[in-house]
Amino acid sequence: MCEDHTAIKGSLLILDDIWDSWVLKAFDNQCQVLITSRDRSVTDAVAGNKYEVHVESGLGHEKGLEILSLFVNMKISELPEQANCLVRECKGSPLVISLIGALLRDFPSRWEYYLKQLQNKQFKRIRKSSSYDYEALDEAMSISVEQLNDNYKDYYKDLSVLPKDVKVPTKVLCILWDMETEEVEDILQEFVNKSLLFCDRNGKSFHYYLHDLQLDFLTEKNRNQLQELHKNIVNQYKKYYKLNTPVPSQEDCMYWYNFLAYHMAGANMQKELRDLMFSLDWIKAKTELVGPAHLIHEYVEYSSILDQKDSTVRENFQEFLSLNGHLLGRQPFPDIIQLGLCQPETSEVYQQAKLYAQRETGTFYLEWINKKSLKNLYRLVVRPHRDAVYHACFSKDRQRIASCGADKTLQVFKAESGERLLEISAHDDEILCCAFSADGEFVATCSADKKVKIWNSRTGQRKCVYEEHSEQVNCCQFNNRSGQYLLATCSNDTFIKLWDLNKKYCRNTMMGHENSVNHCRFSPNDEYVASCSTDGTVKLWEARSGNELKSIEIKDFFKNADEQPDDVEVLVKCCSWSRNGDMILVVAKNKLLLFDVKTCGLLSQVIISHHSTIQYCDFCPGDELVAVALSHCSVELWNIKSLSKVAYCRGHMSWVHCVTFSPDGSLFLTSSDDQTIRIWETKKVCKSSDAVLKSELDVVFHNGEVMILAIYNQKHLQLINGNTDSVIMQTAAPESPISCCCLSEDLKFAAFGQESGTIKVLQLLDGKVLKSQEAYRTSVQHCQFTSDCQTLISSAHDSVIQVWNWQLSECVFLRGHKEAIKDFRLLENSKLLSWSFDGTVKVWNIATGNAEKDFACHGGAVLSCAVSPDGSKFSSTSADKTAKIWSFESSSVLHELKSHEACVRCCTFSPNNKLLATGDDKGEIRIWDILTGALLHFCSPVTVDEGEPTHGGWVTDLSFSPDSKMLVSSGGFLKWWNVTTGESLQTFYTNGTNLKSIHVSPNFKVYVTVDNLGILYVLQKL
């Protein structure tokens, strides 16, 4: 006993790991005391000032390694490779890291043993060390729990089923325990005081969470009761919410949407889980809040429970979300019932949507009646970026995808569901390429900001930055072997650089190209690097020395008509090695060229397309298939041995920048300017056909039937019954591609124009050509029969309209426009209205060929005209951003409509002769009063995703309902509007985009259009 009180007062007494307040009382001798405890209430028993030092709930990774290194007396750099994994498994817990460190000091050979025990949650086997107080790790973790009274122990047991890494709002536990908020907070505070729980005070609400290892310990300890604990939480949820669902304003809302299925699966409540996961109401509510990826993940995760009777229903819902994820992630949120109605009729999703639509009497829904002919070839569509996606790639295990693009972010997500794992604002400018290392540990990115960065693919932590390139870096590729981290990069500075991730600076710089280097790739055995350049060459380099081995002049394979090298620059886009490294595939312009690596001799070449350039290519690991990304929105698969196209993949709405096979070749992904990444099944795609319709078609609505004349694959005319989706007639392929077509009103004749300028009339009964005329020197743009079917009017890429009486073989030429005809429209009494790029509109007498009226309408091209129902007026719209209403009688302008901010592309009058609707290239629609010229309504005033037009692009066509109360518009998709309020009534998302026109039945119940992918849509109002 110390009797010198002065000495006591000046002392600091340290008491470690205190559990009971009586210990503190025993040492209450007026000196300063520093205590460590997992129970903050132990200080309540003594007087005096108390100061609390906040300690983080977990150590960072580097700090954990530092503590471990101190225990085992080694430098961090000297620690074995298991050290990183051990610190990760300790989840930042100082208790566990200290215990493991003490054990390793005594047993330095047990790194692998202790790692396995932690991974397998075998806490009892991590036994006592001479320098540690507890017999085993489970005892060290349970001592805090044993301090609780029995009631509190039961409450703490309930926390065993909480999901990892989730902060749970108080309201969830109020529902679980059927208590008031204050009662619950008191119980939870007791856990917090004893370091059994952590509290995050975020504003007014409290959120609680367990350390990962505490949760592991609880789960292990209560393993036999987990199912009942999960069932209890589900039953309490059902009791509280009954048949309702949580709303976003409630603090517990997000918890239930994210984890209710998790608790049902944990409770093995099969019926409840199926009812939840197969409910469109739940899917709608959840996807509006968190998007579709988590739901897709749940379908995969809980498939064994959901599929106990049959997997079909689960597959229906999973496919529905997988193929519509890019739509469900956007604002404004699409109508999920309308999306469901586009599913196959055998799908449970369609059947639920149909029942829902039939119940909702006040809502406008559409049935896609010819959808049977369409097969979805992709497996998943995701929209992880808010701008163009320049590159995407699989990890070697096929489980993850990394992507990058114009929004300057790197995204990593699950290949199965699209669920986001990482989002990194990685660069200061557009990211042009990304690549996984062979073992999947790292992702490299390169950017227009001239930098190359390496990221930990799981944590998002940046490992290093390389800044030796002097211009934008176009491509980065890791070597193919695990264990060695080599990265090749190439840039507009003409150099290829080779980096060793264990070193700070570039290992080799390969010099030899004379212009920008666009692409580089390691050979399969990592001995060589191939590079492609704008200088028209492909070069092969030795990876070890950086020496140039071979150079292939690709521009020599592009000759003009005189067999001389083409003067146009040959930009070599990319290359791909065969699996054995004997061949290399090279892409330039519209050609695929296959070379022998040893001899540099050309083995074969194929021209892919005359209308677009190749953006990217990739060899399938099987070596026969090659995937090619094209600038016109599509991807093609070619058999490189037979030089034949085996598949045509349509789905993207803009340029496709990248196509990459999975390591086993069973899947391939594509990325595009349309902000989406699509994952395709190789076998499914190879079995598909490539039928494509041109956007130019004609439709006759006749006695309840919808008869459609369409151009099939540019070579054939097809007469299609839109009600049954059956092809009634198909013509043989003519000598020149077909450019336009039309039907006679009596459905006896059809006509078509060709790119060669020829016009032909045929009999629909047997497809026999009745008359042919070489009418133009340029491609025919429009053709139309008169009502008596005897005369065909046509226009081409010139300023003359031809009026051809094909039965009498007589022709009248309408000359007067100074530039190409945009279009024309028949009026009554043998009159014709035409409009032109020269800014004028003319009225013609088609019998005499004379122009009866001439209107100088606009300073820019006239893009569309419409005639009022009473025939007294017409409207014109122009590239000069205005629309005008004219009087036929006085030849004067009645109103000039000026508020559009872009080219005004289309217009239409309402049947009641009171309104005019106009649509522009900004995606906006305006409704005007014809009498006064006043603007009545502005359609599309909705909040949309950044950079996305309100109508998905231009508004290209408009049509009023017979009662003038509704309006339908085409553009990036189809929309229906309430004319009185200007509000959107429904949106139909087509698979493609750029709909040029919409054909509407007289009763406003059937709608026909074709998208830019060549897919036909016959829609019927439910």
Side-chain angles (χ1 to χ4, degrees):
M1 188 76 181
C2 184
E3 297 185 9
D4 186 348
H5 293 284
T6 310
I8 291 175
K9 282 190 177 180
S11 302
L12 173 66
L13 179 64
I14 300 175
L15 303 175
D16 186 30
D17 207 11
I18 302 302
W19 286 103
D20 278 306
S21 55
W22 66 264
V23 177
L24 202 53
K25 275 185 179 178
F27 287 93
D28 189 7
N29 49 16
Q30 300 182 347
C31 70
Q32 294 184 87
V33 182
L34 171 64
I35 71 162
T36 63
S37 175
R38 289 185 243 170
D39 186 350
R40 75 162 48 121
S41 65
V42 295
T43 60
D44 295 343
V46 294
N49 296 325
K50 286 177 282 188
Y51 302 94
E52 191 171 313
V53 180
H54 176 70
V55 179
E56 291 293 331
S57 61
L59 299 170
H61 189 79
E62 292 302 317
K63 197 68 181 171
L65 285 173
E66 183 186 334
I67 291 172
L68 208 54
S69 69
L70 290 171
F71 268 103
V72 296
N73 197 25
M74 296 169 73
K75 292 179 181 177
I76 293 178
S77 58
E78 296 172 349
L79 291 172
E81 61 183 37
Q82 292 96 331
N84 276 303
C85 299
L86 265 172
V87 170
R88 266 200 294 273
E89 289 299 325
C90 290
K91 315 290 175 62
S93 167
L95 170 72
V96 184
I97 290 173
S98 301
L99 176 55
I100 295 291
L103 288 168
L104 285 167
R105 183 165 57 198
D106 293 344
F107 304 102
S109 61
R110 291 190 180 180
W111 290 87
E112 190 66 36
Y113 174 77
Y114 291 131
L115 176 58
K116 282 183 180 175
Q117 302 317 316
L118 277 174
Q119 287 172 334
N120 298 326
K121 312 290 188 284
Q122 296 295 322
F123 302 129
K124 281 185 169 63
R125 293 189 186 176
I126 302 175
R127 303 300 299 171
K128 180 177 180 177
S129 158
S130 58
S131 55
Y132 207 79
D133 292 339
Y134 302 106
E135 284 294 329
L137 179 55
D138 65 325
E139 183 187 326
M141 296 172 75
S142 68
I143 193 164
S144 303
V145 181
E146 297 308 316
Q147 301 296 315
L148 298 171
N149 67 41
D150 289 344
N151 284 344
Y152 278 38
K153 283 178 186 175
D154 287 338
Y155 291 133
Y156 195 63
K157 186 200 299 180
D158 287 339
L159 306 186
S160 304
V161 293
L162 294 184
K164 276 191 176 180
D165 301 317
V166 174
K167 295 180 179 180
V168 180
T170 313
K171 178 74 177 293
V172 171
L173 298 164
C174 291
I175 293 170
L176 173 59
W177 294 331
D178 198 10
M179 291 182 183
E180 296 294 324
T181 303
E182 291 77 10
E183 292 178 272
V184 169
E185 286 177 352
D186 288 345
I187 294 169
L188 297 175
Q189 189 58 45
E190 181 69 14
F191 299 155
V192 171
N193 285 341
K194 287 188 165 43
S195 302
L196 291 169
L197 191 67
F198 297 98
C199 179
D200 183 9
R201 290 173 170 79
N202 182 14
K204 293 180 180 177
S205 62
F206 290 2
H207 287 70
Y208 298 90
Y209 62 100
L210 287 161
H211 189 282
D212 281 3
L213 280 171
Q214 286 174 313
L215 189 54
D216 287 343
F217 166 71
L218 268 181
T219 305
E220 191 65 30
K221 185 179 180 183
N222 301 306
R223 176 168 298 281
N224 296 331
Q225 301 172 64
L226 292 179
Q227 187 167 321
E228 280 306 311
L229 293 171
H230 278 293
K231 188 177 286 187
N232 183 43
I233 200 169
V234 173
N235 289 335
Q236 289 299 103
Y237 166 87
K238 289 165 68 178
K239 176 183 172 184
Y240 184 85
Y241 279 106
K242 299 180 173 64
L243 297 176
N244 301 313
T245 52
V247 295
S249 59
Q250 295 168 313
E251 66 166 317
D252 60 323
C253 167
M254 292 299 291
Y255 181 87
W256 297 117
Y257 280 118
N258 280 317
F259 300 111
L260 183 57
Y262 156 78
H263 288 302
M264 287 180 174
N268 199 28
M269 299 171 80
Q270 184 190 354
K271 181 183 182 303
E272 288 84 349
L273 185 62
R274 287 173 65 90
D275 289 347
L276 183 79
M277 299 286 287
F278 300 156
S279 157
L280 278 180
D281 285 331
W282 178 258
I283 292 169
K284 178 178 185 295
K286 179 161 179 171
T287 49
E288 280 191 27
L289 278 174
V290 299
H294 191 257
L295 258 171
I296 298 169
H297 166 75
E298 288 179 327
Y299 286 121
V300 176
E301 184 80 8
Y302 309 133
S303 57
S304 59
I305 302 172
L306 295 169
D307 294 353
Q308 280 182 13
K309 289 184 179 177
D310 180 14
S311 66
T312 307
V313 177
R314 192 260 308 161
E315 287 168 356
N316 289 164
F317 278 90
Q318 188 175 329
E319 182 178 78
F320 170 60
L321 287 171
S322 297
L323 302 184
N324 290 287
H326 59 303
L327 298 175
L328 294 168
R330 71 165 58 186
Q331 293 295 330
F333 194 82
D335 188 323
I336 204 163
I337 304 304
Q338 182 58 65
L339 289 179
L341 288 168
C342 296
Q343 296 300 292
E345 291 184 9
T346 54
S347 167
E348 177 69 21
V349 180
Y350 169 82
Q351 290 164 16
Q352 275 196 40
K354 186 77 177 277
L355 287 171
Y356 197 107
Q358 288 168 342
R359 286 200 311 265
E360 293 287 310
T361 52
T363 312
F364 187 92
Y365 287 113
L366 298 137
E367 182 86 84
W368 182 4
I369 59 178
N370 70 316
K371 66 188 170 193
K372 290 177 189 173
S373 59
L374 185 73
K375 293 178 181 176
N376 277 313
L377 302 179
Y378 28 87
R379 175 165 163 171
L380 179 69
V381 185
V382 291
R383 193 167 172 242
H385 295 271
R386 299 180 73 85
D387 209 330
V389 189
Y390 293 145
H391 196 81
C393 56
F394 286 97
S395 60
K396 199 165 187 177
D397 62 4
R398 216 188 75 174
Q399 299 301 306
R400 294 176 295 157
I401 291 170
S403 64
C404 60
D407 65 1
K408 309 173 192 175
T409 69
L410 168 68
Q411 308 279 347
V412 180
F413 54 91
K414 291 182 181 177
E416 185 78 45
S417 66
E419 189 174 7
R420 181 177 285 139
L421 300 171
L422 274 184
E423 179 176 20
I424 305 169
S425 296
H427 286 266
D428 299 325
D429 207 334
E430 296 183 335
I431 306 176
L432 304 178
C433 189
C434 59
F436 274 108
S437 61
D439 60 5
E441 279 297 301
F442 299 106
V443 179
T445 55
C446 61
S447 165
D449 67 7
K450 311 175 191 176
K451 296 175 185 174
V452 178
K453 298 185 181 183
I454 313 296
W455 310 87
N456 184 305
S457 70
R458 301 187 189 280
T459 66
Q461 205 169 20
R462 192 178 70 193
K463 177 177 171 61
C464 49
V465 183
Y466 299 126
E467 300 187 56
E468 292 185 32
H469 282 292
S470 58
E471 293 189 41
Q472 77 172 33
V473 189
N474 296 313
C475 180
C476 55
Q477 291 286 330
F478 275 102
N479 64 324
N480 298 299
R481 283 179 298 200
S482 296
Q484 186 184 19
Y485 298 114
L486 292 180
L487 181 75
T489 62
C490 60
S491 163
N492 281 3
D493 63 11
T494 74
F495 302 137
I496 304 104
K497 289 182 180 286
L498 202 60
W499 314 84
D500 184 330
L501 264 57
N502 295 318
K503 296 180 181 176
K504 194 173 181 181
Y505 300 104
C506 169
R507 192 178 97 168
N508 290 87
T509 298
M510 304 171 196
M511 296 176 281
H513 283 294
E514 296 173 3
N515 210 326
S516 304
V517 189
N518 304 307
H519 192 251
C520 57
R521 269 194 183 177
F522 278 95
S523 62
N525 63 6
D526 292 336
E527 289 184 13
Y528 308 107
V529 173
S531 60
C532 307
S533 170
T534 305
D535 64 14
T537 68
V538 170
K539 292 183 184 290
L540 302 183
W541 313 80
E542 191 178 63
R544 182 173 295 177
S545 66
N547 293 332
E548 181 181 330
L549 294 176
K550 296 174 183 178
S551 183
I552 306 172
E553 296 283 339
I554 302 298
K555 58 191 174 198
D556 291 348
F557 298 94
F558 289 82
K559 310 280 188 180
N560 59 23
D562 302 321
E563 284 301 306
Q564 296 297 313
D566 204 323
D567 290 335
V568 179
E569 182 181 63
V570 177
L571 190 157
V572 187
K573 273 274 186 172
C574 82
C575 61
S576 182
W577 295 83
S578 62
R579 182 170 52 179
N580 61 9
D582 291 345
M583 299 179 289
I584 189 164
L585 187 71
V586 179
V587 160
K589 289 189 173 179
N590 59 349
K591 277 187 183 180
L592 275 179
L593 303 109
L594 186 65
F595 293 94
D596 182 286
V597 171
K598 285 183 181 177
T599 66
C600 292
L602 181 68
L603 298 173
S604 56
Q605 62 174 315
V606 61
I607 296 174
I608 297 293
S609 168
H610 291 286
H611 303 288
S612 65
T613 57
I614 303 173
Q615 300 297 307
Y616 206 86
C617 71
D618 197 33
F619 246 126
C620 183
D623 274 359
E624 285 195 12
L625 279 184
V626 172
V628 179
L630 298 166
S631 58
H632 69 215
C633 316
S634 66
V635 171
E636 295 177 359
L637 296 189
W638 286 73
N639 185 310
I640 202 66
K641 290 186 178 176
S642 64
L643 299 183
S644 58
K645 182 166 68 172
V646 295
Y648 174 80
C649 310
R650 51 186 180 168
H652 283 293
M653 300 185 191
S654 191
W655 281 33
V656 183
H657 288 290
C658 168
V659 55
T660 311
F661 280 100
S662 62
D664 62 359
S666 62
L667 304 174
F668 64 94
L669 60 79
T670 54
S671 66
S672 165
D673 263 356
D674 67 11
Q675 306 177 13
T676 68
I677 296 166
R678 291 167 193 255
I679 300 166
W680 314 71
E681 292 185 47
T682 309
K683 283 184 180 176
K684 191 187 282 189
V685 165
C686 289
K687 292 176 183 174
S688 68
S689 64
D690 60 349
V692 176
L693 301 183
K694 273 179 71 73
S695 55
E696 290 76 18
L697 76 165
D698 197 17
V699 181
V700 172
F701 299 97
H702 181 73
N703 294 333
E705 288 198 320
V706 184
M707 303 306 293
I708 302 160
L709 189 68
I711 303 166
Y712 171 77
N713 283 356
Q714 294 191 304
K715 299 175 183 177
H716 309 273
L717 271 191
Q718 280 189 347
L719 183 65
I720 301 167
N721 184 319
N723 303 71
T724 61
D725 195 30
S726 56
V727 177
I728 298 169
M729 181 275 297
Q730 180 173 304
T731 64
E735 59 284 352
S736 170
I738 301 171
S739 52
C740 64
C741 62
C742 65
L743 281 167
S744 64
E745 290 180 15
D746 60 6
L747 294 176
K748 289 183 178 178
F749 307 107
F752 63 91
Q754 295 174 251
E755 289 183 7
S756 63
T758 302
I759 301 173
K760 294 183 179 180
V761 176
L762 54 86
Q763 193 167 266
L764 279 179
L765 188 64
D766 54 10
K768 180 184 176 184
V769 174
L770 301 175
K771 283 287 174 74
S772 177
Q773 179 183 333
E774 293 181 9
Y776 300 95
R777 292 182 179 176
T778 59
S779 177
V780 185
Q781 294 301 294
H782 303 284
C783 58
Q784 185 181 347
F785 283 104
T786 53
S787 56
D788 62 8
C789 308
Q790 295 183 11
T791 302
L792 186 71
I793 302 168
S794 62
S795 67
H797 274 309
D798 62 21
S799 59
V800 179
I801 297 170
Q802 292 194 23
V803 181
W804 176 35
N805 187 319
W806 59 273
Q807 292 186 337
L808 301 177
S809 298
E810 295 175 354
C811 199
V812 176
F813 298 93
L814 310 183
R815 306 179 192 274
H817 284 294
K818 293 176 181 175
E819 292 184 39
I821 307 297
K822 180 68 173 76
D823 208 346
F824 56 81
R825 175 180 171 149
L826 278 163
L827 305 175
E828 293 179 350
N829 304 320
S830 299
K831 300 291 193 295
L832 181 86
L833 187 75
S834 67
W835 52 98
S836 163
F837 287 98
D838 64 12
T840 67
V841 175
K842 297 181 186 294
V843 178
W844 308 84
N845 184 315
I846 59 173
T848 64
N850 295 327
E852 297 189 349
K853 287 184 182 290
D854 193 349
F855 299 85
C857 290
H858 294 274
V862 181
L863 300 178
S864 71
C865 286
V867 178
S868 63
D870 63 4
S872 66
K873 307 175 193 71
F874 77 91
S875 60
S876 62
T877 70
S878 171
D880 66 10
K881 305 180 185 178
T882 68
K884 295 180 181 180
I885 301 174
W886 302 80
S887 165
F888 276 120
E889 188 177 347
S890 66
S891 300
S892 60
V893 63
L894 301 175
H895 302 291
E896 185 172 4
L897 314 173
K898 282 186 170 180
S899 76
H900 281 284
E901 297 173 4
C903 294
V904 190
R905 194 156 294 272
C906 56
C907 57
T908 187
F909 284 94
S910 63
N912 64 9
N913 214 35
K914 292 181 179 179
L915 307 172
L916 176 74
T918 55
D920 67 24
D921 285 2
K922 201 178 173 184
E924 295 174 352
I925 298 165
R926 287 163 170 75
I927 298 172
W928 312 84
D929 186 303
I930 293 175
L931 191 62
T932 65
L935 176 63
L936 299 176
H937 295 294
F938 171 78
C939 299
S940 291
V942 291
T943 305
V944 293
D945 284 356
E946 182 184 343
E948 188 172 317
T950 50
H951 204 300
W954 300 349
V955 181
T956 56
D957 203 2
L958 295 160
S959 183
F960 277 99
S961 61
D963 62 4
S964 304
K965 291 181 178 179
M966 288 176 67
L967 180 74
V968 62
S969 60
S970 63
F973 30 78
L974 297 176
K975 285 188 83 72
W976 285 259
W977 306 90
N978 182 317
V979 172
T980 308
T981 63
E983 292 176 354
S984 171
L985 296 172
Q986 188 54 272
T987 302
F988 185 92
Y989 290 100
T990 49
N991 285 29
T993 184
N994 297 346
L995 314 175
K996 286 192 176 178
S997 61
I998 181 163
H999 299 262
V1000 184
S1001 65
N1003 63 2
F1004 206 67
K1005 289 186 176 179
V1006 181
Y1007 315 86
V1008 181
T1009 191
V1010 172
D1011 65 21
N1012 68 331
L1013 305 178
I1015 299 170
L1016 176 69
Y1017 301 86
V1018 182
L1019 309 177
Q1020 186 165 13
K1021 184 176 181 289
L1022 275 175

